[in-house]
Short mmCIF file of all heavy atoms in Angstrom, two decimals:
data_model
loop_
_atom_site.label_atom_id
_atom_site.label_comp_id
_atom_site.label_asym_id
_atom_site.label_seq_id
_atom_site.Cartn_x
_atom_site.Cartn_y
_atom_site.Cartn_z
N MET A 25 -27.37 -47.75 7.89
CA MET A 25 -25.93 -47.72 8.03
C MET A 25 -25.23 -47.82 6.63
O MET A 25 -25.61 -48.61 5.77
CB MET A 25 -25.48 -48.89 8.91
CG MET A 25 -24.91 -48.43 10.20
SD MET A 25 -24.34 -49.76 11.23
CE MET A 25 -22.63 -49.89 10.73
N GLU A 26 -24.30 -46.92 6.48
CA GLU A 26 -23.61 -46.93 5.21
C GLU A 26 -22.42 -47.79 5.22
O GLU A 26 -21.60 -47.82 6.14
CB GLU A 26 -23.23 -45.47 4.84
CG GLU A 26 -24.31 -44.75 4.12
CD GLU A 26 -23.86 -43.36 3.74
OE1 GLU A 26 -22.77 -43.27 3.35
OE2 GLU A 26 -24.74 -42.45 3.86
N GLU A 27 -22.29 -48.55 4.15
CA GLU A 27 -21.09 -49.36 4.13
C GLU A 27 -19.94 -48.61 3.61
O GLU A 27 -19.95 -47.92 2.61
CB GLU A 27 -21.41 -50.50 3.04
CG GLU A 27 -21.02 -51.88 3.59
CD GLU A 27 -21.35 -52.97 2.64
OE1 GLU A 27 -20.59 -53.27 1.77
OE2 GLU A 27 -22.52 -53.50 2.83
N PRO A 28 -18.85 -48.62 4.40
CA PRO A 28 -17.67 -47.89 3.93
C PRO A 28 -17.03 -48.46 2.70
O PRO A 28 -16.87 -49.66 2.56
CB PRO A 28 -16.62 -48.07 5.12
CG PRO A 28 -17.16 -49.29 5.85
CD PRO A 28 -18.66 -49.40 5.58
N LYS A 29 -16.79 -47.57 1.80
CA LYS A 29 -16.27 -48.04 0.47
C LYS A 29 -14.86 -48.42 0.58
O LYS A 29 -13.98 -47.65 1.13
CB LYS A 29 -16.41 -46.92 -0.57
CG LYS A 29 -17.61 -47.07 -1.38
CD LYS A 29 -17.57 -46.07 -2.51
CE LYS A 29 -18.82 -46.20 -3.47
NZ LYS A 29 -18.86 -45.19 -4.52
N LYS A 30 -14.58 -49.63 0.20
CA LYS A 30 -13.25 -50.13 0.30
C LYS A 30 -12.57 -49.93 -1.05
O LYS A 30 -12.86 -50.61 -2.08
CB LYS A 30 -13.17 -51.62 0.66
CG LYS A 30 -13.14 -51.83 2.15
CD LYS A 30 -13.00 -53.28 2.51
CE LYS A 30 -13.21 -53.50 3.97
NZ LYS A 30 -13.10 -54.94 4.34
N THR A 31 -11.68 -48.95 -1.08
CA THR A 31 -10.91 -48.69 -2.32
C THR A 31 -9.69 -49.62 -2.28
O THR A 31 -8.70 -49.15 -1.73
CB THR A 31 -10.63 -47.23 -2.48
OG1 THR A 31 -10.14 -46.73 -1.32
CG2 THR A 31 -11.80 -46.43 -3.01
N SER A 32 -9.78 -50.68 -2.89
CA SER A 32 -8.61 -51.53 -2.94
C SER A 32 -7.65 -51.12 -4.06
O SER A 32 -8.00 -51.15 -5.25
CB SER A 32 -9.00 -52.97 -3.24
OG SER A 32 -9.74 -53.06 -4.33
N ARG A 33 -6.58 -50.69 -3.62
CA ARG A 33 -5.54 -50.25 -4.64
C ARG A 33 -4.73 -51.43 -5.06
O ARG A 33 -3.65 -51.72 -4.51
CB ARG A 33 -4.65 -49.16 -4.01
CG ARG A 33 -5.39 -47.87 -3.97
CD ARG A 33 -4.39 -46.82 -3.55
NE ARG A 33 -5.14 -45.51 -3.22
CZ ARG A 33 -4.56 -44.47 -2.65
NH1 ARG A 33 -3.21 -44.53 -2.41
NH2 ARG A 33 -5.18 -43.36 -2.37
N ARG A 34 -5.20 -52.10 -6.00
CA ARG A 34 -4.52 -53.27 -6.46
C ARG A 34 -3.49 -52.84 -7.55
O ARG A 34 -3.89 -52.50 -8.62
CB ARG A 34 -5.45 -54.31 -7.09
CG ARG A 34 -4.90 -55.65 -6.87
CD ARG A 34 -5.80 -56.75 -7.68
NE ARG A 34 -6.98 -57.07 -6.87
CZ ARG A 34 -7.99 -57.79 -7.40
NH1 ARG A 34 -7.90 -58.22 -8.66
NH2 ARG A 34 -9.07 -58.08 -6.73
N ARG A 35 -2.28 -52.95 -7.16
CA ARG A 35 -1.20 -52.64 -8.10
C ARG A 35 -0.74 -53.82 -8.90
O ARG A 35 0.14 -54.51 -8.39
CB ARG A 35 -0.09 -51.85 -7.46
CG ARG A 35 -0.27 -50.35 -7.39
CD ARG A 35 1.06 -49.73 -7.05
NE ARG A 35 0.88 -48.22 -6.96
CZ ARG A 35 1.88 -47.45 -6.75
NH1 ARG A 35 3.07 -47.88 -6.48
NH2 ARG A 35 1.62 -46.14 -6.67
N SER A 36 -1.25 -54.06 -9.92
CA SER A 36 -0.86 -55.22 -10.74
C SER A 36 0.54 -54.94 -11.32
O SER A 36 0.69 -53.94 -12.07
CB SER A 36 -1.91 -55.62 -11.81
OG SER A 36 -2.10 -54.44 -12.62
N LYS A 37 1.42 -55.74 -10.95
CA LYS A 37 2.74 -55.54 -11.51
C LYS A 37 2.85 -55.74 -12.99
O LYS A 37 2.55 -56.88 -13.46
CB LYS A 37 3.78 -56.41 -10.74
CG LYS A 37 4.90 -55.62 -10.26
CD LYS A 37 5.96 -56.54 -9.59
CE LYS A 37 7.08 -55.72 -9.03
NZ LYS A 37 8.10 -56.60 -8.40
N VAL A 38 3.13 -54.74 -13.71
CA VAL A 38 3.28 -54.85 -15.12
C VAL A 38 4.67 -55.31 -15.49
O VAL A 38 5.68 -54.58 -15.31
CB VAL A 38 2.95 -53.58 -15.82
CG1 VAL A 38 2.99 -53.78 -17.33
CG2 VAL A 38 1.48 -53.13 -15.44
N ASN A 39 4.70 -56.56 -15.93
CA ASN A 39 6.09 -57.04 -16.33
C ASN A 39 6.32 -56.72 -17.83
O ASN A 39 7.42 -57.02 -18.29
CB ASN A 39 6.19 -58.49 -16.05
CG ASN A 39 6.20 -58.76 -14.59
OD1 ASN A 39 6.77 -58.02 -13.78
ND2 ASN A 39 5.42 -59.73 -14.13
N ASP A 40 5.27 -56.45 -18.49
CA ASP A 40 5.44 -56.32 -19.92
C ASP A 40 5.48 -54.80 -20.30
O ASP A 40 4.81 -54.03 -19.76
CB ASP A 40 4.30 -56.93 -20.72
CG ASP A 40 4.34 -58.44 -20.55
OD1 ASP A 40 5.44 -59.03 -20.66
OD2 ASP A 40 3.21 -59.04 -20.36
N TYR A 41 6.25 -54.51 -21.32
CA TYR A 41 6.31 -53.20 -21.77
C TYR A 41 5.50 -53.24 -23.14
O TYR A 41 5.45 -54.17 -23.83
CB TYR A 41 7.77 -52.80 -22.15
CG TYR A 41 8.64 -52.62 -20.98
CD1 TYR A 41 9.26 -53.67 -20.35
CD2 TYR A 41 8.83 -51.33 -20.42
CE1 TYR A 41 10.07 -53.54 -19.29
CE2 TYR A 41 9.64 -51.17 -19.39
CZ TYR A 41 10.28 -52.23 -18.76
OH TYR A 41 11.15 -52.03 -17.68
N ILE A 42 4.86 -52.09 -23.39
CA ILE A 42 4.15 -52.04 -24.62
C ILE A 42 4.75 -50.91 -25.44
O ILE A 42 4.75 -49.75 -25.02
CB ILE A 42 2.62 -51.77 -24.39
CG1 ILE A 42 2.01 -53.05 -23.73
CG2 ILE A 42 1.91 -51.53 -25.67
CD1 ILE A 42 0.60 -52.79 -23.19
N CYS A 43 5.20 -51.34 -26.63
CA CYS A 43 5.88 -50.28 -27.54
C CYS A 43 4.85 -49.27 -27.97
O CYS A 43 3.77 -49.66 -28.41
CB CYS A 43 6.49 -50.99 -28.65
SG CYS A 43 7.11 -49.90 -29.88
N HIS A 44 5.19 -48.02 -27.84
CA HIS A 44 4.27 -46.97 -28.31
C HIS A 44 4.17 -46.85 -29.78
O HIS A 44 3.41 -46.10 -30.36
CB HIS A 44 4.72 -45.64 -27.67
CG HIS A 44 4.25 -45.50 -26.28
ND1 HIS A 44 4.11 -44.27 -25.68
CD2 HIS A 44 4.01 -46.47 -25.31
CE1 HIS A 44 3.70 -44.47 -24.41
NE2 HIS A 44 3.64 -45.74 -24.18
N CYS A 45 5.07 -47.51 -30.51
CA CYS A 45 5.06 -47.40 -31.97
C CYS A 45 4.27 -48.58 -32.55
O CYS A 45 3.33 -48.34 -33.32
CB CYS A 45 6.58 -47.48 -32.44
SG CYS A 45 7.40 -45.94 -32.28
N CYS A 46 4.63 -49.80 -32.16
CA CYS A 46 3.89 -50.94 -32.78
C CYS A 46 2.80 -51.56 -31.89
O CYS A 46 2.08 -52.46 -32.40
CB CYS A 46 4.91 -52.02 -33.21
SG CYS A 46 5.94 -52.68 -31.86
N ARG A 47 2.71 -51.04 -30.69
CA ARG A 47 1.67 -51.51 -29.77
C ARG A 47 1.76 -52.98 -29.38
O ARG A 47 0.77 -53.58 -29.03
CB ARG A 47 0.25 -51.23 -30.36
CG ARG A 47 0.06 -49.75 -30.66
CD ARG A 47 -0.40 -49.00 -29.42
NE ARG A 47 -0.33 -47.52 -29.70
CZ ARG A 47 -0.52 -46.67 -28.75
NH1 ARG A 47 -0.68 -47.00 -27.47
NH2 ARG A 47 -0.34 -45.35 -28.97
N LYS A 48 2.94 -53.47 -29.50
CA LYS A 48 3.16 -54.95 -29.13
C LYS A 48 3.76 -54.96 -27.79
O LYS A 48 4.43 -54.09 -27.30
CB LYS A 48 4.02 -55.60 -30.18
CG LYS A 48 3.38 -55.95 -31.45
CD LYS A 48 4.30 -56.55 -32.41
CE LYS A 48 3.86 -56.66 -33.84
NZ LYS A 48 4.88 -56.86 -34.83
N LYS A 49 3.52 -56.14 -27.15
CA LYS A 49 4.16 -56.32 -25.82
C LYS A 49 5.58 -56.94 -25.90
O LYS A 49 5.82 -57.76 -26.77
CB LYS A 49 3.29 -57.33 -25.06
CG LYS A 49 2.25 -56.73 -24.29
CD LYS A 49 1.56 -57.74 -23.38
CE LYS A 49 0.36 -57.19 -22.64
NZ LYS A 49 -0.26 -58.24 -21.85
N PHE A 50 6.44 -56.45 -25.02
CA PHE A 50 7.80 -56.95 -25.02
C PHE A 50 8.15 -57.12 -23.59
O PHE A 50 7.78 -56.41 -22.70
CB PHE A 50 8.74 -55.93 -25.68
CG PHE A 50 8.46 -55.84 -27.22
CD1 PHE A 50 7.54 -54.87 -27.68
CD2 PHE A 50 9.09 -56.71 -28.08
CE1 PHE A 50 7.30 -54.74 -29.09
CE2 PHE A 50 8.83 -56.57 -29.41
CZ PHE A 50 7.94 -55.59 -29.93
N PRO A 51 9.19 -57.99 -23.32
CA PRO A 51 9.71 -58.24 -21.95
C PRO A 51 10.59 -56.99 -21.66
O PRO A 51 10.76 -56.71 -20.40
CB PRO A 51 10.58 -59.48 -22.10
CG PRO A 51 10.84 -59.68 -23.58
CD PRO A 51 9.66 -59.07 -24.31
N TYR A 52 11.05 -56.30 -22.61
CA TYR A 52 11.82 -55.16 -22.35
C TYR A 52 11.61 -54.09 -23.46
O TYR A 52 11.62 -54.47 -24.63
CB TYR A 52 13.29 -55.39 -22.18
CG TYR A 52 14.13 -54.20 -21.83
CD1 TYR A 52 14.02 -53.62 -20.63
CD2 TYR A 52 14.79 -53.49 -22.83
CE1 TYR A 52 14.71 -52.42 -20.28
CE2 TYR A 52 15.52 -52.36 -22.54
CZ TYR A 52 15.45 -51.85 -21.34
OH TYR A 52 16.17 -50.66 -21.01
N CYS A 53 11.58 -52.78 -23.09
CA CYS A 53 11.55 -51.77 -24.10
C CYS A 53 12.40 -50.62 -23.54
O CYS A 53 12.59 -50.53 -22.36
CB CYS A 53 10.13 -51.20 -24.19
SG CYS A 53 9.09 -52.12 -25.37
N LEU A 54 12.93 -49.91 -24.46
CA LEU A 54 13.57 -48.66 -24.00
C LEU A 54 12.47 -47.76 -23.48
O LEU A 54 11.31 -47.78 -24.07
CB LEU A 54 14.22 -47.98 -25.19
CG LEU A 54 15.55 -48.69 -25.72
CD1 LEU A 54 15.45 -48.90 -27.21
CD2 LEU A 54 16.71 -47.89 -25.29
N ASN A 55 12.71 -47.11 -22.39
CA ASN A 55 11.60 -46.37 -21.78
C ASN A 55 12.09 -45.07 -21.15
O ASN A 55 13.30 -44.84 -21.00
CB ASN A 55 10.94 -47.24 -20.66
CG ASN A 55 11.89 -47.71 -19.62
OD1 ASN A 55 12.16 -46.97 -18.70
ND2 ASN A 55 12.44 -48.91 -19.77
N CYS A 56 11.11 -44.25 -20.94
CA CYS A 56 11.34 -42.87 -20.39
C CYS A 56 10.57 -42.65 -19.08
O CYS A 56 9.49 -43.21 -19.01
CB CYS A 56 11.02 -41.88 -21.49
SG CYS A 56 11.31 -40.19 -20.92
N PRO A 57 11.02 -41.85 -18.15
CA PRO A 57 10.26 -41.54 -16.99
C PRO A 57 8.88 -40.99 -17.30
O PRO A 57 7.95 -41.10 -16.48
CB PRO A 57 11.07 -40.65 -16.27
CG PRO A 57 12.45 -40.80 -16.66
CD PRO A 57 12.45 -41.27 -18.11
N CYS A 58 8.79 -40.40 -18.46
CA CYS A 58 7.41 -39.84 -18.82
C CYS A 58 6.44 -40.84 -19.18
O CYS A 58 5.21 -40.62 -19.36
CB CYS A 58 7.60 -38.79 -19.95
SG CYS A 58 7.81 -39.50 -21.62
N GLY A 59 6.86 -42.13 -19.37
CA GLY A 59 5.95 -43.24 -19.75
C GLY A 59 6.14 -43.72 -21.19
O GLY A 59 5.51 -44.67 -21.58
N PHE A 60 6.99 -43.02 -21.88
CA PHE A 60 7.18 -43.43 -23.30
C PHE A 60 8.00 -44.81 -23.33
O PHE A 60 8.95 -44.91 -22.61
CB PHE A 60 7.91 -42.39 -24.07
CG PHE A 60 8.23 -42.69 -25.53
CD1 PHE A 60 7.16 -42.61 -26.40
CD2 PHE A 60 9.45 -43.20 -25.84
CE1 PHE A 60 7.47 -42.96 -27.78
CE2 PHE A 60 9.71 -43.49 -27.19
CZ PHE A 60 8.73 -43.41 -28.11
N GLN A 61 7.51 -45.62 -24.18
CA GLN A 61 8.19 -46.93 -24.36
C GLN A 61 8.31 -47.27 -25.76
O GLN A 61 7.40 -47.11 -26.55
CB GLN A 61 7.39 -48.08 -23.65
CG GLN A 61 7.30 -47.91 -22.13
CD GLN A 61 6.31 -48.81 -21.44
OE1 GLN A 61 5.56 -49.52 -22.14
NE2 GLN A 61 6.33 -48.73 -20.15
N ILE A 62 9.50 -47.77 -26.18
CA ILE A 62 9.66 -48.15 -27.57
C ILE A 62 10.50 -49.41 -27.62
O ILE A 62 11.44 -49.55 -26.92
CB ILE A 62 10.32 -47.01 -28.37
CG1 ILE A 62 10.40 -47.32 -29.85
CG2 ILE A 62 11.69 -46.62 -27.81
CD1 ILE A 62 10.76 -46.12 -30.72
N CYS A 63 10.11 -50.37 -28.45
CA CYS A 63 10.84 -51.59 -28.61
C CYS A 63 12.03 -51.39 -29.39
O CYS A 63 12.27 -50.44 -30.12
CB CYS A 63 9.97 -52.74 -29.14
SG CYS A 63 9.69 -52.54 -30.91
N GLU A 64 12.97 -52.39 -29.25
CA GLU A 64 14.25 -52.30 -29.94
C GLU A 64 14.03 -52.17 -31.42
O GLU A 64 14.82 -51.49 -32.07
CB GLU A 64 15.11 -53.45 -29.58
CG GLU A 64 16.54 -53.16 -29.54
CD GLU A 64 17.47 -54.39 -29.29
OE1 GLU A 64 16.95 -55.35 -28.66
OE2 GLU A 64 18.59 -54.36 -29.71
N THR A 65 13.16 -52.97 -31.99
CA THR A 65 12.88 -52.95 -33.47
C THR A 65 12.51 -51.55 -33.90
O THR A 65 13.06 -51.00 -34.86
CB THR A 65 11.85 -53.97 -33.79
OG1 THR A 65 12.15 -55.22 -33.20
CG2 THR A 65 11.75 -54.12 -35.31
N CYS A 66 11.51 -51.01 -33.22
CA CYS A 66 11.06 -49.68 -33.64
C CYS A 66 12.12 -48.64 -33.37
O CYS A 66 12.31 -47.64 -34.13
CB CYS A 66 9.76 -49.32 -32.87
SG CYS A 66 8.39 -50.33 -33.39
N PHE A 67 12.90 -48.86 -32.30
CA PHE A 67 13.92 -47.90 -31.88
C PHE A 67 14.98 -47.88 -33.04
O PHE A 67 15.42 -46.83 -33.42
CB PHE A 67 14.60 -48.34 -30.63
CG PHE A 67 15.74 -47.52 -30.18
CD1 PHE A 67 15.57 -46.21 -29.84
CD2 PHE A 67 17.07 -48.00 -30.35
CE1 PHE A 67 16.62 -45.43 -29.43
CE2 PHE A 67 18.07 -47.21 -29.93
CZ PHE A 67 17.87 -45.91 -29.52
N ARG A 68 15.32 -49.04 -33.53
CA ARG A 68 16.27 -49.14 -34.63
C ARG A 68 15.75 -48.53 -35.89
O ARG A 68 16.51 -47.82 -36.64
CB ARG A 68 16.69 -50.60 -34.88
CG ARG A 68 17.49 -51.16 -33.75
CD ARG A 68 18.47 -52.21 -34.20
NE ARG A 68 19.35 -52.65 -33.12
CZ ARG A 68 19.50 -53.89 -32.71
NH1 ARG A 68 18.88 -54.89 -33.42
NH2 ARG A 68 20.29 -54.14 -31.72
N GLU A 69 14.48 -48.67 -36.09
CA GLU A 69 13.89 -48.02 -37.28
C GLU A 69 13.82 -46.53 -37.24
O GLU A 69 13.89 -45.84 -38.23
CB GLU A 69 12.44 -48.58 -37.50
CG GLU A 69 12.46 -49.95 -38.16
CD GLU A 69 11.08 -50.59 -38.15
OE1 GLU A 69 10.08 -49.91 -37.90
OE2 GLU A 69 11.00 -51.80 -38.46
N ASN A 70 13.72 -46.06 -35.98
CA ASN A 70 13.60 -44.62 -35.77
C ASN A 70 14.97 -43.99 -35.32
O ASN A 70 15.03 -42.84 -34.88
CB ASN A 70 12.50 -44.31 -34.79
CG ASN A 70 11.21 -44.70 -35.34
OD1 ASN A 70 10.60 -44.01 -36.20
ND2 ASN A 70 10.57 -45.80 -34.83
N LEU A 71 15.98 -44.85 -35.35
CA LEU A 71 17.26 -44.48 -34.78
C LEU A 71 17.75 -43.13 -35.36
O LEU A 71 18.23 -42.23 -34.62
CB LEU A 71 18.30 -45.53 -35.10
CG LEU A 71 19.50 -45.62 -34.17
CD1 LEU A 71 19.03 -46.10 -32.80
CD2 LEU A 71 20.51 -46.66 -34.75
N TRP A 72 17.60 -42.96 -36.69
CA TRP A 72 18.06 -41.75 -37.32
C TRP A 72 17.40 -40.53 -36.76
O TRP A 72 17.93 -39.46 -36.81
CB TRP A 72 17.76 -41.86 -38.82
CG TRP A 72 16.37 -42.12 -39.10
CD1 TRP A 72 15.75 -43.41 -39.22
CD2 TRP A 72 15.25 -41.22 -39.28
NE1 TRP A 72 14.47 -43.28 -39.47
CE2 TRP A 72 14.12 -41.92 -39.56
CE3 TRP A 72 15.19 -39.82 -39.34
CZ2 TRP A 72 12.83 -41.30 -39.78
CZ3 TRP A 72 14.00 -39.21 -39.59
CH2 TRP A 72 12.88 -39.99 -39.77
N GLY A 73 16.18 -40.70 -36.26
CA GLY A 73 15.40 -39.54 -35.80
C GLY A 73 15.63 -39.18 -34.31
O GLY A 73 15.48 -38.01 -33.92
N ILE A 74 15.84 -40.19 -33.51
CA ILE A 74 15.92 -39.89 -32.04
C ILE A 74 17.23 -40.20 -31.39
O ILE A 74 17.43 -39.79 -30.29
CB ILE A 74 14.73 -40.65 -31.34
CG1 ILE A 74 14.89 -42.16 -31.54
CG2 ILE A 74 13.40 -40.19 -31.81
CD1 ILE A 74 13.89 -42.99 -30.67
N SER A 75 18.09 -41.00 -32.06
CA SER A 75 19.31 -41.41 -31.43
C SER A 75 20.54 -40.81 -31.99
O SER A 75 20.58 -40.51 -33.19
CB SER A 75 19.45 -42.92 -31.43
OG SER A 75 20.66 -43.28 -30.73
N ASN A 76 21.52 -40.60 -31.13
CA ASN A 76 22.77 -40.03 -31.64
C ASN A 76 23.91 -40.74 -30.85
O ASN A 76 24.62 -40.19 -30.18
CB ASN A 76 22.77 -38.52 -31.35
CG ASN A 76 24.01 -37.89 -31.99
OD1 ASN A 76 24.60 -38.46 -32.92
ND2 ASN A 76 24.37 -36.66 -31.50
N GLY A 77 23.97 -42.00 -31.12
CA GLY A 77 25.05 -42.85 -30.55
C GLY A 77 24.59 -43.49 -29.23
O GLY A 77 23.61 -44.21 -29.25
N PRO A 78 25.25 -43.19 -28.11
CA PRO A 78 24.84 -43.83 -26.80
C PRO A 78 23.60 -43.26 -26.17
O PRO A 78 23.18 -43.77 -25.14
CB PRO A 78 26.08 -43.63 -25.95
CG PRO A 78 26.73 -42.35 -26.47
CD PRO A 78 26.42 -42.29 -27.93
N THR A 79 23.07 -42.23 -26.74
CA THR A 79 21.84 -41.68 -26.15
C THR A 79 20.78 -41.52 -27.18
O THR A 79 20.97 -41.57 -28.42
CB THR A 79 22.15 -40.19 -25.58
OG1 THR A 79 22.62 -39.41 -26.71
CG2 THR A 79 23.21 -40.18 -24.51
N TRP A 80 19.59 -41.35 -26.68
CA TRP A 80 18.38 -41.17 -27.51
C TRP A 80 17.55 -40.12 -26.89
O TRP A 80 17.51 -39.94 -25.74
CB TRP A 80 17.61 -42.42 -27.87
CG TRP A 80 17.13 -43.14 -26.70
CD1 TRP A 80 17.80 -43.97 -25.81
CD2 TRP A 80 15.71 -43.12 -26.22
NE1 TRP A 80 16.97 -44.43 -24.80
CE2 TRP A 80 15.64 -43.92 -25.11
CE3 TRP A 80 14.54 -42.50 -26.62
CZ2 TRP A 80 14.45 -44.12 -24.39
CZ3 TRP A 80 13.37 -42.68 -26.00
CH2 TRP A 80 13.34 -43.53 -24.90
N VAL A 81 16.80 -39.42 -27.72
CA VAL A 81 15.95 -38.38 -27.15
C VAL A 81 14.52 -38.83 -27.24
O VAL A 81 14.02 -39.27 -28.26
CB VAL A 81 16.14 -37.04 -28.02
CG1 VAL A 81 15.14 -36.01 -27.49
CG2 VAL A 81 17.51 -36.57 -27.91
N CYS A 82 13.83 -38.77 -26.07
CA CYS A 82 12.44 -39.16 -26.02
C CYS A 82 11.55 -38.20 -26.87
O CYS A 82 11.63 -37.01 -26.68
CB CYS A 82 11.92 -39.13 -24.55
SG CYS A 82 10.09 -39.37 -24.47
N PRO A 83 10.83 -38.78 -27.89
CA PRO A 83 10.05 -37.91 -28.72
C PRO A 83 8.87 -37.31 -27.98
O PRO A 83 8.27 -36.36 -28.44
CB PRO A 83 9.61 -38.84 -29.80
CG PRO A 83 9.73 -40.20 -29.22
CD PRO A 83 10.77 -40.17 -28.23
N ASP A 84 8.51 -37.79 -26.78
CA ASP A 84 7.42 -37.27 -26.06
C ASP A 84 7.81 -36.04 -25.19
O ASP A 84 7.12 -35.06 -25.17
CB ASP A 84 6.85 -38.34 -25.13
CG ASP A 84 5.68 -39.06 -25.81
OD1 ASP A 84 5.57 -39.01 -27.05
OD2 ASP A 84 4.95 -39.74 -25.08
N CYS A 85 8.89 -36.13 -24.46
CA CYS A 85 9.26 -35.12 -23.56
C CYS A 85 10.58 -34.41 -23.87
O CYS A 85 10.91 -33.47 -23.23
CB CYS A 85 9.18 -35.61 -22.15
SG CYS A 85 10.51 -36.86 -21.77
N GLY A 86 11.36 -35.04 -24.76
CA GLY A 86 12.63 -34.47 -25.11
C GLY A 86 13.78 -34.79 -24.18
O GLY A 86 14.80 -34.23 -24.30
N ARG A 87 13.53 -35.65 -23.25
CA ARG A 87 14.58 -36.05 -22.32
C ARG A 87 15.67 -36.85 -23.09
O ARG A 87 15.36 -37.59 -23.97
CB ARG A 87 14.05 -37.00 -21.25
CG ARG A 87 13.76 -36.33 -19.93
CD ARG A 87 13.52 -37.42 -18.93
NE ARG A 87 12.92 -36.92 -17.69
CZ ARG A 87 11.63 -36.83 -17.53
NH1 ARG A 87 10.82 -37.33 -18.46
NH2 ARG A 87 11.05 -36.30 -16.44
N VAL A 88 16.92 -36.58 -22.73
CA VAL A 88 17.93 -37.43 -23.25
C VAL A 88 18.20 -38.67 -22.47
O VAL A 88 18.41 -38.56 -21.23
CB VAL A 88 19.29 -36.56 -23.32
CG1 VAL A 88 20.40 -37.43 -23.91
CG2 VAL A 88 19.13 -35.34 -24.19
N ARG A 89 18.01 -39.80 -23.08
CA ARG A 89 18.17 -41.00 -22.32
C ARG A 89 19.33 -41.88 -22.86
O ARG A 89 19.75 -41.80 -23.98
CB ARG A 89 16.82 -41.84 -22.55
CG ARG A 89 15.64 -41.11 -22.27
CD ARG A 89 15.30 -41.09 -20.83
NE ARG A 89 15.03 -42.50 -20.39
CZ ARG A 89 15.42 -42.93 -19.12
NH1 ARG A 89 15.98 -42.13 -18.29
NH2 ARG A 89 15.21 -44.20 -18.77
N MET A 90 19.80 -42.74 -22.00
CA MET A 90 20.96 -43.64 -22.34
C MET A 90 20.37 -44.87 -23.10
O MET A 90 19.32 -45.33 -22.69
CB MET A 90 21.70 -44.05 -21.15
CG MET A 90 22.46 -42.96 -20.39
SD MET A 90 23.74 -42.19 -21.45
CE MET A 90 24.98 -43.59 -21.50
N THR A 91 21.07 -45.29 -24.06
CA THR A 91 20.63 -46.45 -24.79
C THR A 91 21.09 -47.66 -23.94
O THR A 91 22.26 -47.97 -23.79
CB THR A 91 21.40 -46.52 -26.17
OG1 THR A 91 21.35 -45.24 -26.74
CG2 THR A 91 20.62 -47.44 -27.09
N PHE A 92 20.11 -48.42 -23.47
CA PHE A 92 20.30 -49.58 -22.59
C PHE A 92 21.24 -49.45 -21.41
O PHE A 92 21.65 -48.41 -21.04
CB PHE A 92 20.78 -50.76 -23.48
CG PHE A 92 19.80 -51.30 -24.45
CD1 PHE A 92 19.92 -50.91 -25.79
CD2 PHE A 92 18.68 -51.96 -24.03
CE1 PHE A 92 19.01 -51.48 -26.68
CE2 PHE A 92 17.71 -52.41 -24.98
CZ PHE A 92 17.91 -52.19 -26.26
ZN1 ZN B 394 7.73 -51.42 -31.53
ZN1 ZN B 395 9.87 -38.94 -22.25
#
């Protein structure tokens, strides 16, 4: 008799964000639906490149996102 494989889909709730720039964990990061996450510190450092006031552009997918 074969034992039915139990595929337990354990969805561990991730409460932490990991910045894609500095790879550190944060309680909050600016994020994009594509999965891109960036912390406020890195965001400010890259502001000139991705942000234009109240919005920022995801460097991964090019989506325009609102700042906070
Ligand atoms: Zn960072
Ligand atoms: Zn994106």
Side-chain angles (χ1 to χ4, degrees):
M25 248 180 93
E26 275 183 37
E27 226 175 88
K29 263 190 182 177
K30 272 186 187 174
T31 44
S32 56
R33 285 187 191 174
R34 207 188 282 171
R35 269 198 182 180
S36 55
K37 227 182 183 183
V38 182
N39 293 316
D40 292 318
Y41 291 85
I42 295 166
C43 172
H44 281 204
C45 284
C46 61
R47 303 275 166 190
K48 283 177 193 165
K49 272 189 184 178
F50 293 92
Y52 180 76
C53 272
L54 287 131
N55 56 85
C56 179
C58 77
F60 179 79
Q61 294 167 356
I62 186 168
C63 74
E64 211 185 333
T65 310
C66 292
F67 176 73
R68 289 211 175 128
E69 278 171 14
N70 295 286
L71 205 67
W72 54 271
I74 60 173
S75 180
N76 188 19
T79 58
W80 61 281
V81 177
C82 172
D84 266 18
C85 67
R87 260 195 197 89
V88 179
R89 309 275 301 143
M90 292 296 289
T91 317
F92 293 106

